[in-house]
Amino acid sequence: MSKFDYLIVGAGLYGATFAHLAYKQGKKCLVIDRRSHLGGNIYCESIEGINVHKYGAHIFHTSNKQVWNFVNSIVEFNRYTNSPVANYQGKLYNLPFSMNTFYQVWGVTTPAAAIAKLEEQKAEAVAKMKADGATEPRNLEEQAQLLIGKDIYEILIKGYTEKQWGRKCTELPAFIIKRLPVRLIFDNNYFNDKYQGIPVGGYNKLIDGLLEGVETKVGVDFFDNRDYWESIADKILFTGKIDEFYDYKFGMLEYRTVSFKQEIHDCPNYQGNAVVNYTEREVPYTRVIEHKHFEMFGTAVNECPITVISKEYSTEWEPGMESYYPVNDERNNALAEQYRTLAIQEKNVIFGGRLAEYRYYDMHIIIEKLLTNRFE
């Protein structure tokens, strides 16, 4: 007889939320993770009293009130508002593209003047394409200039994107940038969602709350003793890499990955903002994260005499590295579909999350999907 109703492979947000909801419905669950900690990529490491987002900045945002109420029922969220800025050759620009950005780039002060400048630059991009004999954008550079014009593309998109993807924008497909947000208001709030914030006390509080009452084991690799783990539960929720589950039967899926260089500075405030993007190609990192700003506001920032920053580097993924972002090109999409076809035939295995579905998910989408699960 099986000991558990569910074995949950992976203690990230998907696995922890699944375990929480199943446990609330009387299911006995065991959560295992190959890492030495719970929480997956939202895990926070406490350094000098600051919750450091070990695997990159995570900001929770949603317009779904049910989702917002659910996460706040686990832990209270603060009022953090994501308002990144971009540094290009020492000058700062507000993100997303808003009236603040247009004023910083062109000196325009009204929406009408901003629209006129945007339309002028878009027309130049169209004319250049026609002169080259093209009727549709042939690469990311042309697509971006059709959407936002040459000036903003050169300052805020080109270098940053080339660092993210490790290749020139003229070598990237146009579909990567399908649209770019343009706001004709002086508003630096990055998200349009109604609710956003960070768990008070960090994301570990959210994970601990979700897994309260659930048995967990860390430092355990499902694949080291697969037969045993498959024997102890009626069903498995698998949140790891789908190609690994099938022993790379059709080939290995690819990812983009990021790495972080962490620094502790003997000052209360390093850059005055949680996230600063570095958009010129010559700066090797894509952004600098100053973690205290996610949870400390106003005078509280200066009350903590030190600060922790992380410089984020985008690199080509190789086997053995952390797998962050699925590569949505023709080869990988076709390969992922082959694995998904196998997955839907499984009777006792559920595949869920970014790695198991080979799809990138914002956190609120994961919660939203799982709140409709019936746990049969």
Side-chain angles (χ1 to χ4, degrees):
M1 181 178 290
S2 300
K3 182 180 179 183
F4 297 97
D5 295 302
Y6 288 103
L7 170 71
I8 297 161
V9 182
L13 183 61
Y14 199 109
T17 304
F18 185 102
H20 174 84
L21 295 172
Y23 175 76
K24 291 295 183 182
Q25 295 186 31
K27 305 297 183 181
K28 190 170 185 181
C29 302
L30 171 64
V31 179
I32 64 173
D33 200 290
R34 61 171 44 152
R35 289 175 175 171
S36 62
H37 59 75
L38 303 172
N41 280 7
I42 65 172
Y43 170 74
C44 291
E45 182 180 11
S46 180
I47 299 176
E48 302 287 345
I50 297 168
N51 290 314
V52 173
H53 295 209
K54 185 174 177 65
Y55 301 97
H58 286 82
I59 298 103
F60 197 93
H61 57 97
T62 182
S63 290
N64 185 320
K65 190 173 184 179
Q66 181 189 17
V67 169
W68 185 245
N69 288 343
F70 171 77
V71 294
N72 275 271
S73 74
I74 306 299
V75 59
E76 181 184 2
F77 276 59
N78 68 23
R79 57 85 168 167
Y80 175 79
T81 300
N82 191 28
S83 303
V85 296
N87 184 311
Y88 179 75
Q89 297 181 348
K91 294 184 178 180
L92 297 180
Y93 301 85
N94 288 108
L95 299 172
F97 309 135
S98 67
M99 284 301 300
N100 287 309
T101 321
F102 305 140
Y103 173 72
Q104 290 154 351
V105 175
W106 296 315
V108 296
T109 57
T110 66
I115 291 171
K117 194 67 179 176
L118 285 167
E119 293 303 320
E120 173 190 317
Q121 294 224 330
K122 290 178 186 180
E124 290 175 1
V126 171
K128 183 179 178 182
M129 280 178 50
K130 287 182 177 179
D132 292 339
T135 57
E136 296 290 335
R138 295 163 292 185
N139 52 56
L140 186 147
E141 178 168 290
E142 291 181 347
Q143 178 68 77
Q145 292 193 26
L146 281 178
L147 292 170
I148 202 69
K150 181 179 179 180
D151 291 344
I152 290 176
Y153 165 74
E154 293 282 349
I155 295 171
L156 300 177
I157 298 174
K158 182 179 180 179
Y160 189 87
T161 303
E162 290 182 348
K163 286 189 287 188
Q164 278 188 313
W165 290 94
R167 50 189 58 87
K168 294 180 179 179
C169 287
T170 52
E171 298 171 359
L172 292 168
F175 72 79
I176 291 178
I177 292 187
K178 296 179 181 178
R179 59 184 182 273
L180 290 169
V182 173
R183 299 179 186 169
L184 296 170
I185 53 175
F186 290 92
D187 182 1
N188 298 325
N189 183 357
Y190 191 82
F191 299 121
N192 287 317
D193 287 314
K194 186 174 181 179
Y195 311 105
Q196 66 180 296
I198 304 288
V200 174
Y203 279 101
N204 294 358
K205 296 284 188 182
L206 175 62
I207 294 297
D208 290 345
L210 288 169
L211 292 175
E212 185 176 355
V214 177
E215 188 173 341
T216 63
K217 294 181 183 294
V218 296
V220 172
D221 192 330
F222 171 79
F223 295 104
D224 285 346
N225 198 355
R226 182 169 180 165
D227 290 342
Y228 168 75
W229 294 117
E230 289 180 333
S231 72
I232 66 169
D234 294 328
K235 292 186 178 181
I236 294 173
L237 169 71
F238 185 77
T239 70
K241 295 194 290 185
I242 191 171
D243 55 348
E244 186 178 13
F245 185 89
Y246 288 108
D247 198 25
Y248 308 106
K249 178 177 182 178
F250 302 121
M252 189 174 288
L253 291 164
E254 297 173 308
Y255 297 83
R256 286 293 292 174
T257 190
V258 291
S259 61
F260 302 92
K261 180 183 177 183
Q262 191 174 284
E263 299 174 1
I264 299 175
H265 288 267
D266 189 19
C267 66
N269 196 348
Y270 179 83
Q271 64 186 17
N273 205 48
V275 181
V276 176
N277 291 359
Y278 283 77
T279 59
E280 59 189 289
R281 186 68 182 87
E282 292 70 23
V283 176
Y285 42 87
T286 54
R287 58 182 180 172
V288 174
I289 303 163
E290 187 171 7
H291 300 270
K292 72 190 310 182
H293 293 294
F294 291 125
E295 298 184 63
M296 299 180 189
F297 311 108
T299 57
V301 172
N302 291 327
E303 290 170 3
C304 178
I306 65 97
T307 193
V308 182
I309 68 165
S310 296
K311 293 178 179 178
E312 183 173 320
Y313 299 80
S314 181
T315 59
E316 290 287 345
W317 177 85
E318 295 180 3
M321 291 182 172
E322 293 289 349
S323 304
Y324 278 85
Y325 304 109
V327 177
N328 293 315
D329 61 14
E330 187 174 340
R331 176 207 175 262
N332 284 286
N333 288 337
L335 192 58
E337 195 55 40
Q338 286 183 278
Y339 284 118
R340 292 186 198 115
T341 300
L342 285 182
I344 61 176
Q345 299 172 35
E346 300 282 352
K347 293 182 179 179
N348 297 316
V349 183
I350 303 165
F351 294 83
R354 173 179 54 93
L355 301 178
E357 299 179 56
Y358 200 68
R359 292 188 175 98
Y360 181 78
Y361 285 115
D362 282 332
M363 290 183 286
H364 64 289
I365 301 299
I366 288 173
I367 302 289
E368 194 171 309
K369 287 182 65 174
L370 287 170
L371 286 178
T372 62
N373 195 12
R374 296 183 183 276
F375 303 98
E376 296 176 353

